[in-house]
Amino acid sequence: MTPPNTWRTSSNEMFCAKRVDALAYPTIRRKANVVGEPQMGSNCQLSANSGLPAITVPGGFTADGLPVGVELLGRAWTEPQLIKFAYAYEQTTHHRRPPASTPALDAH
């Protein structure tokens, strides 16, 4: 396995060279399995292996209504910027849909 510092250094160099603030990619490469079954195809290893910040936002739904996520990966120490990106994405796309079983919140 490649050491985290190597992943972090390579990723930060790429961000700088390409003048990129964040990467956006699907959290998984295939439709989610039923709860309790093993899930293959996760794309969420870059943050875990590099130590770079990431946040996942709702990315929409499959044709049969299963939710999909989008992960945003940022440069080192850019958590506030990632949160702003995630909030802007959610406010623009309106992909988040609470489950039908979730009760409404009181306006107090």
Side-chain angles (χ1 to χ4, degrees), residues 46-58:
L46 189 52
S47 176
N49 289 317
S50 67
L52 294 174
I55 189 168
T56 300
V57 294

Side-chain angles (χ1 to χ4, degrees), residues 8 38 68 84:
R8 185 173 29 256
V68 268
K84 288 177 185 176

Side-chain angles (χ1 to χ4, degrees), residues 87-103:
Y87 180 77
Y89 179 86
E90 284 189 343
Q91 295 302 300
T92 301
T93 63
H94 303 286
H95 287 313
R96 186 185 176 285
R97 196 179 335 153
S101 62
T102 303

Side-chain angles (χ1 to χ4, degrees), residues 3-4 6 10-11 16 20 24 28-29 32 40 51-52 62-65 74 78 89 94-95 97-98 101 106:
T6 303
S10 297
S11 298
C16 291
V20 171
I28 194 162
R29 296 184 299 271
M40 305 298 289
L52 294 174
T62 62
D64 54 347
T78 61
Y89 179 86
H94 303 286
H95 287 313
R97 196 179 335 153
S101 62
D106 289 334

Side-chain angles (χ1 to χ4, degrees), residues 28 30-41 66-67:
I28 194 162
R30 52 185 275 187
K31 190 170 102 174
N33 289 342
V34 175
V35 173
E37 292 182 8
Q39 186 65 62
M40 305 298 289
L66 291 175

